[in-house]
Amino acid sequence: MYRTHPCNALRKEQIGQTVTLSGWVNSRRDHGGVIFIDLRDREGVTQVVFRPEEHPQVAENAHELRGEDVIRVTGLVSARLPGTENPKLATGDIEIVATGLDVLNKADVPPFPLDSKVANEDLRLGYRYLDLRRPEMAHNLKLRHRVAKATRDYLDEHGFLEIETPILSNPTPEGARDFLVPSRLNPGEFYALPQAPQQYKQLLQVAGLEKYFQIARCFRDEDLRADRQPEFTQIDLEASFIGEEEIQTLIEGLLARIFRESRGIEIPTPFRRITWREAMERYGSDKPDLRFGVELVELSELFRESQFKVFRSVIESGGVIKAINAKGAAAAFSKEQLKKWEEWVKAEFGAKGLAYIRLKDGVWESPIVKFLGEAEKAALAERMGFEEGDVLFFGAGEWEPTVTILGRVRLRVAELLKLVTDPDELNFSWVVEFPLLAWSAEENKWVAVHHPFTRPKAEDVALLESGEYAKVRAVAYDVVLNGVELGGGSIRIHERDLQSKMFEILGVNAEEQQHKFGHLLRAFSFGAPPHGGVALGLDRLVMLIAGAESIREVIAFPKNNRGVDLMTHSPVEVDFKQLRELYIQSTAKKG
Ligand code: ASP
């Protein structure tokens, strides 16, 4: 037998018992011939002492032990000497006096210490199996398990069935590039790895399964950032005969359950609802961080007749003027820094500039202040609550880019002024009524803001008919925590004609519709129930719960930001001979 107990279990009550433990040598200390080791397994650490006067051979063998050796120890649970107890350790009152030792496997010296922070992430990823031995990493994976378990329990209790959908599938438009897999049996043809199980989960509704969920692996070939991986996991669900509010309530309950079971925290529900339009107007973001104010204020009316030509002409050409007040920031933001802010918005967002006014020692300091009349200044001060020590930042131009840039400035102001005072605050909200469509200048066509299966609001269907696409709102919603999007979903189109119309607007002609989405359109003509759903990013959620800085910290074997697994060296070059064969076969088939 390898063990009678895990390494976190023994207490005073077991003193006098003979036990067997197995694990890794966490550390080894030699106190004048008496060897102490901390024996570690997944659950914790127990101190083992080898006394030469009692068991000379065993103690002799213990001299050979090194960190990370795998051993089995048998011994007597004993009280630690008074004064040597370790209150930080669950097993800190006792130690095992070893009577037997087996070395199960010797270890080389690890390439990095396992008991302290390691800055070189590439090194960690290259030896991920060692990195995961570190307690904080094991903790993250346990947390992830608890989140997944809470999700399964909760959704099961709510009547959802866990159903797997294909990994070898067809492209489904979620706005990213597909990973493609050649089909050996169908030369020249490819599977796409799912960006999301979207169409399958809708087809499960047509199939009458009513409530589906899956902890689903999704694949998107995108440029990577700290919180992105080419493969990631979503808590994906879909249900029939359900409305937007019911889905939101269900998810609030799910998140409450997850936070309760993983962190012991009660989160207040229901979450605040805010429309996309309001979120953009007031916070300049579709995932607003509502932990602080610094709201965007509309100033277009105020500057309509202004002597300041730049502002006036923006308004005349249909744009907007907005501003935020960074209260008390004058001392923190020097003039040189403010110049840097301007460079930042120019470089980062292609903005023309970032007008500001700083009120210091009663003086309005700003390159634009000479263009403003006294009445205008008074009205501005009143509207913005502008006082000694404040800094105003202005955005001027087309509505969406202007509010978006000012929204980013708002976040930076909050960060620099440390406006988030409670690091444990969890501020959840739903952003609702997203636009259905957006004009893509790049592609020169309308694109779906969520995806093409999202339903327009009933009141706005007429706008769809009349071609006023920009005004059509969708029954789509995102759940946001502290300015981070946790997930989103929508009520779907379940009528064949409306779905077809939607494709048409997106530039997918009838023939292409049949080719790419014929299965879905056909399914909708066999009695499709009204349905909707949502997907939450599991990695990001666990990252936030763990307080980790990157999703790589909560994924067992992640890729680095070049999409490489540094341990297995995946991806690898393919066997070119095999590839050539495939090519020859496929060209032969195509004639
Ligand atoms: N499939 C969507 C996504 O991955 C979520 C949904 O609409 O349910 O973002």
Side-chain angles (χ1 to χ4, degrees):
M1 190 184 21
Y2 284 114
R3 46 166 55 136
T4 54
H5 297 79
C7 286
N8 67 337
L10 297 168
R11 302 284 184 276
K12 276 190 192 138
E13 290 68 46
Q14 281 84 31
I15 287 174
Q17 290 182 15
T18 297
V19 298
T20 300
L21 306 182
S22 288
W24 288 261
V25 175
N26 199 49
S27 64
R28 174 182 159 283
R29 301 174 299 279
D30 185 340
H31 288 187
V34 180
I35 305 288
F36 287 88
I37 65 160
D38 283 342
L39 186 65
R40 183 193 76 232
D41 69 5
R42 192 184 82 178
E43 304 303 332
V45 167
T46 302
Q47 177 166 291
V48 182
V49 49
F50 296 87
R51 296 190 191 287
E53 69 278 16
E54 292 170 30
H55 301 280
Q57 192 51 53
V58 177
E60 177 68 31
N61 295 346
H63 277 275
E64 305 300 317
L65 293 178
R66 295 290 174 267
E68 300 309 309
D69 285 347
V70 181
I71 61 171
R72 169 170 52 192
V73 172
T74 298
L76 201 64
V77 183
S78 313
R80 289 199 192 189
L81 288 179
T84 65
E85 298 93 345
N86 181 354
K88 284 198 212 121
L89 213 59
T91 59
D93 284 333
I94 59 97
E95 61 193 8
I96 312 295
V97 178
T99 55
L101 167 67
D102 295 301
V103 177
L104 303 174
N105 208 339
K106 293 289 292 173
D108 287 342
V109 177
F112 51 83
L114 302 187
D115 55 0
S116 55
K117 249 192 159 3
V118 181
N120 184 343
E121 199 194 9
D122 281 1
L123 189 61
R124 290 176 53 202
L125 290 173
Y127 294 88
R128 189 59 155 184
Y129 45 86
L130 294 180
D131 190 40
L132 294 179
R133 284 187 193 168
R134 296 170 340 114
E136 58 271 31
M137 294 306 289
H139 168 82
N140 287 353
L141 292 183
K142 284 184 199 164
L143 195 70
R144 187 180 176 107
H145 164 76
R146 275 202 291 279
V147 170
K149 167 96 167 56
T151 301
R152 288 201 162 93
D153 290 347
Y154 176 88
L155 290 173
D156 173 63
E157 286 159 26
H158 284 76
F160 282 77
L161 304 178
E162 185 168 8
I163 302 174
E164 287 154 284
T165 53
I167 293 295
L168 296 177
S169 56
N170 278 353
T172 194
E174 295 277 351
R177 237 175 262 125
D178 292 306
F179 281 103
L180 298 172
V181 181
S183 164
R184 183 180 56 83
L185 298 177
N186 302 280
E189 296 182 353
F190 291 81
Y191 300 102
L193 303 185
Q195 294 187 30
Q198 185 61 36
Q199 295 181 56
Y200 289 110
K201 68 174 175 172
Q202 290 191 240
L203 290 164
L204 286 170
Q205 305 311 305
V206 183
L209 272 312
E210 298 205 12
K211 289 177 173 184
Y212 140 96
F213 88 98
Q214 183 176 195
I215 299 192
R217 196 64 69 82
C218 303
F219 306 84
R220 297 186 190 178
D221 189 4
E222 292 178 294
D223 293 335
L224 306 177
R225 299 189 308 236
D227 58 350
R228 279 214 186 133
Q229 283 278 303
E231 55 181 305
F232 60 96
T233 307
Q234 289 193 336
I235 300 173
D236 190 48
L237 61 92
E238 192 78 8
S240 299
F241 309 116
I242 197 165
E244 158 176 40
E245 307 246 313
E246 284 161 281
I247 293 179
Q248 288 160 6
T249 306
L250 178 84
I251 294 300
E252 287 168 357
L254 172 62
L255 287 167
R257 175 78 160 258
I258 288 173
F259 275 83
R260 192 177 305 131
E261 289 186 10
S262 64
R263 281 258 307 255
I265 300 177
E266 284 304 319
I267 57 174
T269 58
F271 304 160
R272 175 171 162 189
R273 262 75 164 166
I274 178 168
T275 64
W276 175 83
R277 164 88 29 200
E278 187 181 348
M280 295 294 283
E281 288 284 10
R282 291 175 60 187
Y283 304 100
S285 171
D286 60 3
K287 39 180 185 296
D289 192 335
L290 302 175
R291 288 175 296 175
F292 46 86
V294 197
E295 289 188 24
L296 279 58
V297 178
E298 171 69 51
L299 298 172
S300 306
E301 272 316 304
L302 199 149
F303 287 112
R304 190 167 292 282
E305 310 288 328
S306 181
Q307 293 308 302
F308 184 29
K309 270 227 291 289
V310 177
F311 280 3
R312 209 181 55 227
S313 67
V314 162
I315 298 163
E316 279 163 6
S317 56
V320 295
I321 312 294
K322 291 221 155 204
I324 56 171
N325 185 353
K327 279 246 148 254
F333 302 164
S334 66
K335 273 198 203 157
E336 295 71 45
Q337 278 167 333
L338 290 169
K339 267 244 112 7
K340 289 218 181 88
W341 283 68
E342 191 154 13
E343 285 158 25
W344 167 62
V345 295
K346 281 186 187 165
E348 183 103 359
F349 314 109
K352 288 205 199 78
L354 178 69
Y356 64 85
I357 305 176
R358 194 165 91 125
L359 183 44
K360 194 147 182 280
D361 305 323
V363 182
W364 289 44
E365 298 173 348
S366 163
I368 68 164
V369 81
K370 57 179 175 289
F371 302 111
L372 304 181
E374 282 311 312
E376 207 165 38
K377 279 167 68 179
L380 179 64
E382 145 107 59
R383 185 97 178 79
M384 296 302 301
F386 189 43
E387 294 168 331
E388 174 65 27
D390 295 351
V391 178
L392 299 182
F393 291 101
F394 294 84
E398 240 182 283
W399 178 75
E400 199 166 331
T402 300
V403 296
T404 306
I405 293 168
L406 216 45
R408 294 292 298 270
V409 175
R410 169 181 180 267
L411 292 183
R412 191 152 167 191
V413 164
E415 195 185 322
L416 293 173
L417 297 183
K418 300 194 171 48
L419 296 184
V420 175
T421 47
D422 174 4
D424 293 327
E425 183 178 349
L426 296 171
N427 194 317
F428 288 94
S429 59
W430 284 103
V431 176
V432 300
E433 291 182 11
F434 272 78
L436 185 72
L437 296 155
W439 177 254
S440 163
E442 216 172 290
E443 296 173 65
N444 196 32
K445 67 185 193 70
W446 289 96
V447 294
V449 169
H450 188 46
H451 51 51
F453 315 108
T454 293
R455 190 172 193 77
K457 268 181 99 79
E459 307 90 285
D460 295 356
V461 171
L463 294 167
L464 209 56
E465 298 299 334
S466 61
E468 294 173 85
Y469 300 148
K471 291 193 191 149
V472 181
R473 292 164 303 166
V475 194
Y477 32 82
D478 274 1
V479 59
V480 176
L481 167 59
N482 294 350
V484 177
E485 181 200 326
L486 290 183
S490 59
I491 300 297
R492 325 297 184 188
I493 297 169
H494 64 276
E495 305 92 329
R496 184 186 172 117
D497 291 349
L498 186 55
Q499 185 64 73
S500 186
K501 166 92 190 160
M502 183 69 182
F503 285 138
E504 195 187 299
I505 293 168
L506 296 170
V508 186
N509 67 29
E511 196 186 326
E512 229 184 318
Q513 287 183 28
Q514 277 316 310
H515 180 61
K516 287 188 179 160
F517 303 107
H519 54 282
L520 194 71
L521 292 170
R522 222 166 298 126
F524 285 175
S525 55
F526 287 105
H531 60 280
V534 68
L536 305 181
L538 178 70
D539 310 291
R540 203 176 289 176
L541 183 61
V542 178
M543 173 184 102
L544 291 169
I545 294 175
E549 270 168 26
S550 140
I551 58 170
R552 293 190 293 272
E553 298 293 307
V554 299
I555 296 174
F557 297 107
K559 312 255 185 303
N560 73 1
N561 57 10
R562 276 163 286 120
V564 173
D565 178 337
L566 291 170
M567 182 181 61
T568 62
H569 305 291
S570 149
V572 285
E573 276 183 19
V574 293
D575 176 344
F576 277 103
K577 231 172 94 199
Q578 198 189 357
L579 202 66
R580 203 163 151 266
E581 287 292 303
L582 273 173
Y583 181 75
I584 292 168
Q585 284 174 31
S586 80
T587 44
K589 184 186 165 203
K590 293 256 143 96

